[in-house]
mmCIF file of all heavy atoms in Angstrom:
data_model
loop_
_atom_site.group_PDB
_atom_site.id
_atom_site.type_symbol
_atom_site.label_atom_id
_atom_site.label_comp_id
_atom_site.label_asym_id
_atom_site.label_seq_id
_atom_site.Cartn_x
_atom_site.Cartn_y
_atom_site.Cartn_z
ATOM 1 N N ASP A 228 0.851 -1.192 0.000
ATOM 2 C CA ASP A 228 0.000 0.000 0.000
ATOM 3 C C ASP A 228 0.886 1.241 0.000
ATOM 4 O O ASP A 228 1.717 1.409 0.904
ATOM 5 C CB ASP A 228 -0.914 -0.001 1.233
ATOM 6 C CG ASP A 228 -1.799 1.224 1.307
ATOM 7 O OD1 ASP A 228 -1.348 2.266 1.815
ATOM 8 O OD2 ASP A 228 -2.956 1.146 0.835
ATOM 9 N N MET A 229 0.701 2.104 -0.991
ATOM 10 C CA MET A 229 1.625 3.230 -1.149
ATOM 11 C C MET A 229 1.488 4.274 -0.032
ATOM 12 O O MET A 229 2.485 4.664 0.599
ATOM 13 C CB MET A 229 1.408 3.890 -2.511
ATOM 14 C CG MET A 229 2.387 5.019 -2.806
ATOM 15 S SD MET A 229 4.123 4.460 -2.813
ATOM 16 C CE MET A 229 4.223 3.645 -4.409
ATOM 17 N N LEU A 230 0.274 4.749 0.233
ATOM 18 C CA LEU A 230 0.109 5.823 1.215
ATOM 19 C C LEU A 230 0.559 5.390 2.607
ATOM 20 O O LEU A 230 1.277 6.120 3.301
ATOM 21 C CB LEU A 230 -1.341 6.300 1.249
ATOM 22 C CG LEU A 230 -1.823 7.120 0.056
ATOM 23 C CD1 LEU A 230 -3.280 7.534 0.245
ATOM 24 C CD2 LEU A 230 -0.958 8.362 -0.148
ATOM 25 N N ASN A 231 0.145 4.194 3.027
ATOM 26 C CA ASN A 231 0.537 3.721 4.350
ATOM 27 C C ASN A 231 2.046 3.492 4.444
ATOM 28 O O ASN A 231 2.661 3.754 5.481
ATOM 29 C CB ASN A 231 -0.204 2.430 4.685
ATOM 30 C CG ASN A 231 -1.659 2.675 5.038
ATOM 31 O OD1 ASN A 231 -1.984 3.675 5.673
ATOM 32 N ND2 ASN A 231 -2.536 1.782 4.629
ATOM 33 N N SER A 232 2.642 3.029 3.368
ATOM 34 C CA SER A 232 4.091 2.793 3.366
ATOM 35 C C SER A 232 4.866 4.096 3.440
ATOM 36 O O SER A 232 5.832 4.224 4.202
ATOM 37 C CB SER A 232 4.485 2.001 2.114
ATOM 38 O OG SER A 232 3.862 0.737 2.112
ATOM 39 N N LEU A 233 4.430 5.087 2.650
ATOM 40 C CA LEU A 233 5.103 6.387 2.692
ATOM 41 C C LEU A 233 4.992 7.014 4.074
ATOM 42 O O LEU A 233 5.933 7.656 4.560
ATOM 43 C CB LEU A 233 4.491 7.322 1.644
ATOM 44 C CG LEU A 233 4.840 7.025 0.179
ATOM 45 C CD1 LEU A 233 4.027 7.933 -0.744
ATOM 46 C CD2 LEU A 233 6.328 7.212 -0.085
ATOM 47 N N ALA A 234 3.843 6.830 4.713
ATOM 48 C CA ALA A 234 3.629 7.397 6.045
ATOM 49 C C ALA A 234 4.636 6.853 7.053
ATOM 50 O O ALA A 234 5.008 7.531 8.015
ATOM 51 C CB ALA A 234 2.203 7.100 6.508
ATOM 52 N N ILE A 235 5.107 5.640 6.814
ATOM 53 C CA ILE A 235 6.096 5.021 7.705
ATOM 54 C C ILE A 235 7.518 5.336 7.260
ATOM 55 O O ILE A 235 8.384 5.718 8.059
ATOM 56 C CB ILE A 235 5.884 3.492 7.743
ATOM 57 C CG1 ILE A 235 4.514 3.171 8.357
ATOM 58 C CG2 ILE A 235 7.008 2.794 8.513
ATOM 59 C CD1 ILE A 235 4.085 1.732 8.160
ATOM 60 N N LEU A 236 7.763 5.184 5.956
ATOM 61 C CA LEU A 236 9.136 5.268 5.438
ATOM 62 C C LEU A 236 9.724 6.675 5.466
ATOM 63 O O LEU A 236 10.878 6.864 5.860
ATOM 64 C CB LEU A 236 9.168 4.751 3.996
ATOM 65 C CG LEU A 236 8.874 3.276 3.754
ATOM 66 C CD1 LEU A 236 8.844 2.976 2.267
ATOM 67 C CD2 LEU A 236 9.913 2.410 4.454
ATOM 68 N N VAL A 237 8.943 7.657 5.019
ATOM 69 C CA VAL A 237 9.518 8.988 4.792
ATOM 70 C C VAL A 237 9.937 9.675 6.094
ATOM 71 O O VAL A 237 11.079 10.147 6.194
ATOM 72 C CB VAL A 237 8.556 9.868 3.965
ATOM 73 C CG1 VAL A 237 9.190 11.222 3.689
ATOM 74 C CG2 VAL A 237 8.202 9.179 2.645
ATOM 75 N N PRO A 238 9.070 9.756 7.104
ATOM 76 C CA PRO A 238 9.539 10.377 8.355
ATOM 77 C C PRO A 238 10.739 9.648 8.958
ATOM 78 O O PRO A 238 11.660 10.291 9.483
ATOM 79 C CB PRO A 238 8.316 10.283 9.271
ATOM 80 C CG PRO A 238 7.144 10.148 8.354
ATOM 81 C CD PRO A 238 7.656 9.354 7.197
ATOM 82 N N TYR A 239 10.744 8.304 8.869
ATOM 83 C CA TYR A 239 11.874 7.528 9.380
ATOM 84 C C TYR A 239 13.156 7.875 8.628
ATOM 85 O O TYR A 239 14.217 8.074 9.233
ATOM 86 C CB TYR A 239 11.572 6.036 9.252
ATOM 87 C CG TYR A 239 12.763 5.132 9.490
ATOM 88 C CD1 TYR A 239 13.178 4.819 10.782
ATOM 89 C CD2 TYR A 239 13.487 4.598 8.416
ATOM 90 C CE1 TYR A 239 14.276 3.992 11.001
ATOM 91 C CE2 TYR A 239 14.581 3.778 8.626
ATOM 92 C CZ TYR A 239 14.972 3.479 9.922
ATOM 93 O OH TYR A 239 16.064 2.664 10.139
ATOM 94 N N PHE A 240 13.047 7.927 7.298
ATOM 95 C CA PHE A 240 14.241 8.205 6.485
ATOM 96 C C PHE A 240 14.866 9.544 6.878
ATOM 97 O O PHE A 240 16.095 9.667 6.946
ATOM 98 C CB PHE A 240 13.880 8.214 5.002
ATOM 99 C CG PHE A 240 15.055 8.472 4.107
ATOM 100 C CD1 PHE A 240 15.896 7.439 3.730
ATOM 101 C CD2 PHE A 240 15.355 9.758 3.665
ATOM 102 C CE1 PHE A 240 17.011 7.674 2.922
ATOM 103 C CE2 PHE A 240 16.454 10.004 2.866
ATOM 104 C CZ PHE A 240 17.296 8.956 2.493
ATOM 105 N N TYR A 241 14.038 10.550 7.133
ATOM 106 C CA TYR A 241 14.558 11.889 7.446
ATOM 107 C C TYR A 241 14.725 12.129 8.949
ATOM 108 O O TYR A 241 14.896 13.264 9.392
ATOM 109 C CB TYR A 241 13.651 12.956 6.828
ATOM 110 C CG TYR A 241 13.775 12.994 5.314
ATOM 111 C CD1 TYR A 241 12.766 12.499 4.500
ATOM 112 C CD2 TYR A 241 14.921 13.495 4.703
ATOM 113 C CE1 TYR A 241 12.888 12.521 3.107
ATOM 114 C CE2 TYR A 241 15.064 13.519 3.328
ATOM 115 C CZ TYR A 241 14.041 13.027 2.542
ATOM 116 O OH TYR A 241 14.181 13.052 1.166
ATOM 117 N N ASP A 242 14.668 11.039 9.737
ATOM 118 C CA ASP A 242 14.932 11.102 11.191
ATOM 119 C C ASP A 242 13.966 12.014 11.940
ATOM 120 O O ASP A 242 14.343 12.706 12.880
ATOM 121 C CB ASP A 242 16.382 11.538 11.456
ATOM 122 C CG ASP A 242 17.392 10.537 10.909
ATOM 123 O OD1 ASP A 242 17.142 9.322 11.011
ATOM 124 O OD2 ASP A 242 18.419 10.981 10.361
ATOM 125 N N TYR A 243 12.709 11.995 11.522
ATOM 126 C CA TYR A 243 11.631 12.684 12.232
ATOM 127 C C TYR A 243 11.986 14.139 12.595
ATOM 128 O O TYR A 243 12.081 14.500 13.769
ATOM 129 C CB TYR A 243 11.256 11.899 13.497
ATOM 130 C CG TYR A 243 10.861 10.484 13.210
ATOM 131 C CD1 TYR A 243 11.781 9.432 13.355
ATOM 132 C CD2 TYR A 243 9.578 10.175 12.769
ATOM 133 C CE1 TYR A 243 11.419 8.118 13.083
ATOM 134 C CE2 TYR A 243 9.211 8.854 12.490
ATOM 135 C CZ TYR A 243 10.135 7.839 12.646
ATOM 136 O OH TYR A 243 9.774 6.550 12.373
ATOM 137 N N PRO A 244 12.170 14.991 11.603
ATOM 138 C CA PRO A 244 12.606 16.374 11.873
ATOM 139 C C PRO A 244 11.625 17.177 12.729
ATOM 140 O O PRO A 244 12.035 18.124 13.417
ATOM 141 C CB PRO A 244 12.740 16.975 10.472
ATOM 142 C CG PRO A 244 11.889 16.117 9.590
ATOM 143 C CD PRO A 244 11.990 14.735 10.169
ATOM 144 N N SER A 245 10.342 16.835 12.715
ATOM 145 C CA SER A 245 9.375 17.615 13.511
ATOM 146 C C SER A 245 9.654 17.507 15.001
ATOM 147 O O SER A 245 9.228 18.372 15.778
ATOM 148 C CB SER A 245 7.948 17.141 13.219
ATOM 149 O OG SER A 245 7.739 15.826 13.719
ATOM 150 N N LYS A 246 10.367 16.480 15.417
ATOM 151 C CA LYS A 246 10.675 16.312 16.832
ATOM 152 C C LYS A 246 11.710 17.328 17.320
ATOM 153 O O LYS A 246 11.914 17.482 18.536
ATOM 154 C CB LYS A 246 11.185 14.884 17.091
ATOM 155 C CG LYS A 246 10.147 13.801 16.814
ATOM 156 C CD LYS A 246 10.694 12.417 17.094
ATOM 157 C CE LYS A 246 9.696 11.318 16.730
ATOM 158 N NZ LYS A 246 8.490 11.355 17.550
ATOM 159 N N LYS A 247 12.338 18.025 16.364
ATOM 160 C CA LYS A 247 13.388 18.985 16.728
ATOM 161 C C LYS A 247 12.856 20.413 16.834
ATOM 162 O O LYS A 247 13.608 21.341 17.086
ATOM 163 C CB LYS A 247 14.509 18.911 15.686
ATOM 164 C CG LYS A 247 15.134 17.522 15.585
ATOM 165 C CD LYS A 247 15.977 17.371 14.336
ATOM 166 C CE LYS A 247 16.408 15.913 14.172
ATOM 167 N NZ LYS A 247 17.074 15.666 12.877
ATOM 168 N N MET A 248 11.532 20.591 16.588
ATOM 169 C CA MET A 248 10.906 21.913 16.669
ATOM 170 C C MET A 248 9.564 21.764 17.380
ATOM 171 O O MET A 248 9.026 20.671 17.484
ATOM 172 C CB MET A 248 10.678 22.485 15.260
ATOM 173 C CG MET A 248 11.924 22.579 14.402
ATOM 174 S SD MET A 248 11.555 22.984 12.665
ATOM 175 C CE MET A 248 10.924 21.405 12.058
ATOM 176 N N ARG A 249 9.011 22.872 17.865
ATOM 177 C CA ARG A 249 7.646 22.852 18.372
ATOM 178 C C ARG A 249 6.705 22.992 17.174
ATOM 179 O O ARG A 249 6.914 23.838 16.300
ATOM 180 C CB ARG A 249 7.394 24.000 19.350
ATOM 181 C CG ARG A 249 8.274 23.986 20.586
ATOM 182 C CD ARG A 249 7.979 22.840 21.520
ATOM 183 N NE ARG A 249 6.671 22.933 22.174
ATOM 184 C CZ ARG A 249 6.222 22.032 23.049
ATOM 185 N NH1 ARG A 249 6.949 20.964 23.344
ATOM 186 N NH2 ARG A 249 5.029 22.187 23.602
ATOM 187 N N VAL A 250 5.666 22.156 17.117
ATOM 188 C CA VAL A 250 4.760 22.144 15.970
ATOM 189 C C VAL A 250 3.329 22.396 16.439
ATOM 190 O O VAL A 250 2.813 21.683 17.313
ATOM 191 C CB VAL A 250 4.835 20.810 15.202
ATOM 192 C CG1 VAL A 250 3.929 20.857 13.964
ATOM 193 C CG2 VAL A 250 6.282 20.497 14.786
ATOM 194 N N ILE A 251 2.700 23.396 15.851
ATOM 195 C CA ILE A 251 1.316 23.757 16.160
ATOM 196 C C ILE A 251 0.475 23.494 14.916
ATOM 197 O O ILE A 251 0.747 24.051 13.849
ATOM 198 C CB ILE A 251 1.189 25.233 16.574
ATOM 199 C CG1 ILE A 251 2.052 25.513 17.812
ATOM 200 C CG2 ILE A 251 -0.265 25.610 16.840
ATOM 201 C CD1 ILE A 251 2.148 26.987 18.182
ATOM 202 N N GLY A 252 -0.546 22.646 15.042
ATOM 203 C CA GLY A 252 -1.416 22.319 13.914
ATOM 204 C C GLY A 252 -2.805 22.896 14.111
ATOM 205 O O GLY A 252 -3.355 22.851 15.216
ATOM 206 N N VAL A 253 -3.376 23.430 13.039
ATOM 207 C CA VAL A 253 -4.714 24.035 13.092
ATOM 208 C C VAL A 253 -5.614 23.317 12.098
ATOM 209 O O VAL A 253 -5.319 23.268 10.901
ATOM 210 C CB VAL A 253 -4.675 25.538 12.753
ATOM 211 C CG1 VAL A 253 -6.063 26.165 12.933
ATOM 212 C CG2 VAL A 253 -3.649 26.269 13.619
ATOM 213 N N THR A 254 -6.724 22.756 12.589
ATOM 214 C CA THR A 254 -7.688 22.116 11.703
ATOM 215 C C THR A 254 -9.070 22.713 11.937
ATOM 216 O O THR A 254 -9.335 23.320 12.968
ATOM 217 C CB THR A 254 -7.693 20.587 11.894
ATOM 218 O OG1 THR A 254 -8.297 19.976 10.759
ATOM 219 C CG2 THR A 254 -8.440 20.164 13.156
#
């Protein structure tokens, strides 16, 4: 499954950069 695989692979590959900053999400 492409979407589910990308959701796992891409953040892992880039070492989860969001963990190095404060992130505020608005929905």
